[in-house]
Amino acid sequence: MSRESDVIVAPEQFAANVKWDAQGLAPAIVQDNNTKEVLTLAYMNEESLRRSIESGETWFWSRSRQEFWHKGATSGNVQRIVSLSYDCDGDALLVGVEPAGPACHTGRVSCFFNKAALEKGSAAQNGSVGAGAESERVLGQEPENAAGRFDVLGELEGIIAERDRERPEGAYTTYLFEKGIDKILKKVGEETAESIIAAKNGDNAELRLEVSDLIYHLLVLLQERKLPLDEIMDELARRHERPRRD
């Protein structure tokens, strides 16, 4: 909703008014248009801004991968743009969105979940303190939400199957299917190797990311071969039912 003091800028002029840094980038703060919660901080360049305006969904520039990044292209957690503005200095962007799912790769709604333990309204009073506090569940213990803890796998399988059918332009999953089995197998191999390295280095934070990537690419492989995830789960169940030999 626009305020009376807002200045409305035409789309063709908007990018020209942004003060891009030496790398041609500007920080983009993404905010839930309904709750006003800040979801993430990413970076846009002029081309990703153009793609965002034209598609109505957020596109960013990945500084680490040096490539364009369409939020939700893999996970399905796209962000539909409701509002777009730059600040008074023209060097930062604010993107109001309606998110289709979590903004953070950890599965959290917002990337800003590490809270400082302040004296008043501290994180210690309102939630967990420390990066590992949320991961204190002991392996082998059944979590409270055990019934639906793997639902995301079924949802992701469905999204991948939809990408295979519809092949939306610009989606990473579309790219994999169009490149074919050899490319998919190459990515499975790469993610397997990166998972091994993370485990060998004792870096659980990195291992979580790499195994997540590996599972995603394995689901793409199953879709390419038209092998339902249910058959894998059935096989695991059969193995679990076999008598132990030790």
Side-chain angles (χ1 to χ4, degrees):
M1 181 177 177
S2 297
R3 296 183 295 268
E4 189 175 343
S5 58
D6 287 343
V7 177
I8 307 302
V9 181
E12 59 271 14
Q13 184 61 34
F14 191 93
N17 291 354
V18 177
K19 295 178 182 176
W20 308 102
D21 67 13
Q23 286 75 46
L25 302 174
I29 302 163
V30 181
Q31 181 183 44
D32 188 306
N33 189 65
N34 295 316
T35 67
K36 305 307 178 186
E37 181 176 12
V38 173
L39 302 179
T40 192
L41 172 66
Y43 287 83
M44 287 186 177
N45 58 19
E46 193 165 352
E47 174 61 19
S48 63
L49 177 59
R50 183 190 66 79
R51 295 187 185 192
S52 297
I53 292 173
E54 290 185 355
S55 68
E57 296 179 353
T58 52
W59 281 78
F60 305 107
W61 176 255
S62 172
R63 296 176 298 167
S64 59
R65 300 193 302 271
Q66 290 293 293
E67 64 182 15
F68 291 107
W69 162 38
H70 178 201
K71 173 61 181 174
T74 299
S75 65
N77 298 327
V78 297
Q79 297 170 336
R80 188 178 73 83
I81 299 174
V82 177
S83 64
L84 182 62
S85 55
Y86 52 77
D87 70 349
C88 54
D89 293 323
D91 57 5
L93 299 165
L94 177 63
V95 190
V97 303
E98 290 182 349
C104 187
H105 69 273
T106 64
R108 294 174 173 86
V109 171
S110 169
C111 293
F112 295 94
F113 54 83
N114 294 298
K115 309 294 185 181
L118 305 177
E119 290 185 7
K120 293 182 179 180
S122 68
Q125 295 171 341
N126 299 323
S128 61
V129 178
E134 194 168 301
S135 302
E136 291 179 352
R137 177 167 52 85
V138 178
L139 290 176
Q141 286 185 355
E142 187 170 292
E144 294 180 0
N145 62 337
R149 61 191 295 228
F150 297 125
D151 287 354
V152 66
L153 289 176
E155 294 171 7
L156 184 55
E157 181 187 34
I159 291 168
I160 290 170
E162 182 180 295
R163 293 287 192 273
D164 188 19
R165 290 192 304 271
E166 300 181 0
R167 305 290 175 99
E169 185 178 355
Y172 175 65
T173 312
T174 298
Y175 164 78
L176 289 176
F177 285 129
E178 290 182 346
K179 288 295 183 181
I181 188 68
D182 288 343
K183 181 64 175 181
I184 295 171
L185 292 174
K186 183 174 183 290
K187 291 301 299 182
V188 169
E190 289 175 358
E191 299 302 342
T192 300
E194 290 173 2
S195 297
I196 292 171
I197 293 169
K200 183 66 175 178
N201 290 341
D203 188 343
N204 278 359
E206 185 66 20
L207 181 60
R208 181 181 67 244
L209 300 179
E210 298 302 344
V211 170
S212 297
D213 287 342
L214 175 57
I215 290 173
Y216 157 74
H217 285 95
L218 284 172
L219 289 174
V220 173
L221 175 60
L222 292 179
Q223 175 62 29
E224 173 69 16
R225 296 295 307 134
K226 302 301 183 286
L227 177 62
L229 180 60
D230 284 344
E231 293 192 20
I232 306 299
M233 303 306 289
D234 289 344
E235 176 62 25
L236 290 172
R238 282 193 294 272
R239 294 184 184 189
H240 181 68
E241 291 168 0
R242 292 174 185 170
R244 296 180 60 178
R245 299 180 180 179
D246 58 352

